[in-house]
Amino acid sequence: MNHFLDIHKTDPAALRGMISSAIQMKTRRAGQPRGAPDADLPLKDRMVALIFEKPSTRTRVSFDVGVRQMGGQTMVLSGTDMQLGHGETIADTARVLSRYVDLIMIRTFDEAVLAEMAEFASVPVINGLTDRTHPCQIMADVMTFEEHKGPIKGKKVVWSGDGNNVCASFLHAAGQFGFDLTFTGPPTLDPEQEFVDLARSKGVNITIERDPMKAVAGADLVVTDTWVSMHDAQSARERRHNQLRPYRVDTRLMGNAKPDALFMHCLPAHRDDEATSEVMDGPNSVIFDEAENRLHAQKAILRWCLGV
Ligand code: CP
Ligand code: NVA
């Protein structure tokens, strides 16, 4: 069963194949209206369930549009409207949904929910974000980097800010795609050591540098994300803002990276908190390409999961 649960759990050759397939599909439908069907309709007759236990704009819309472009059908389900939110087990939900649909995409809190869904479903399951990881996002980010700069292998990526779920998937991608990653942020918000060790075990350089100006020196890509994630307690907001302010990505910080370094943010952003509008809307920013590429990258992931 081809579940897409995390980047480090997916074979590097398969990941590479998905990036190529995404770029190919994007090129093939360039200039067409968004709703136009792809010529080959690889998901014809397929039904896909998209379950959201947290809010979403990009993941929801890009999966929905992508499935439809490939000739499939979708249903978007909110966790709270399902029996799942009222005591039915994940295992039973997985077994029931597997009788109706051909694939399940789920955005949830605890990654144990995702694991249980995958264990008991008899159809592929895709991770649409958990508290710990966000693999679909980083597939789109790798695609975006390579569209602009060529192979990411051996390049220097700098993550500035909170060592959160998106950062974790970047660390997984560093190991699988072979790029170096420097994390810069306060010690209390470091990425989990397990993710750092795993990436290092694959032979890439993972550096922790507390000084953001030093960290970005020579960077090919600077990335940040919201300072307070959906799973973080709102009560921690002020403390996090105080700790993370020195890691805001502004033009001064970008000025210390390579002159043509890209800037990425998975969005949604809190403008002028984690990154200034000047950077977000500046010449190095590719944030809307990233958002668009969610569509193409996920279409490739869906095809890999379904073997079509
Ligand atoms: N980047 C991302 O996953 O955005 P949404 O929360 O809007 O899906
Ligand atoms: N780190 C953010 C990513 C949102 C797409 C969150 O989990 O809220």
Side-chain angles (χ1 to χ4, degrees), residues 52 54-62 107 128-129 134 136-137 166 225 230 265-268 290-291 294 298:
F52 290 90
K54 287 176 178 169
S56 167
T57 297
R58 279 142 289 269
T59 307
R60 181 190 310 251
V61 179
S62 57
R107 165 170 289 194
L129 178 145
H134 195 5
C136 291
Q137 179 65 53
V166 179
D225 186 17
M230 292 181 273
H265 187 312
C266 68
L267 306 177
E290 280 181 88
R294 291 294 301 278
Q298 286 158 193

Side-chain angles (χ1 to χ4, degrees), residues 205-247:
N205 295 315
I206 306 297
T207 308
I208 311 281
E209 168 57 63
R210 300 291 167 213
D211 179 345
M213 285 299 270
K214 277 191 195 152
V216 298
D220 298 286
L221 167 63
V222 179
V223 197
T224 190
D225 186 17
T226 181
W227 287 344
V228 186
S229 283
M230 292 181 273
H231 59 273
D232 289 322
Q234 280 303 315
S235 54
R237 195 182 152 79
E238 197 180 326
R239 178 171 45 81
R240 282 173 159 269
H241 274 237
N242 289 335
Q243 289 176 314
L244 285 161
R245 202 158 290 124
Y247 299 95

Side-chain angles (χ1 to χ4, degrees), residues 162-177:
D162 180 17
N164 64 13
N165 46 2
V166 179
C167 178
S169 287
F170 250 109
L171 282 164
H172 291 150
Q176 300 294 67
F177 287 96

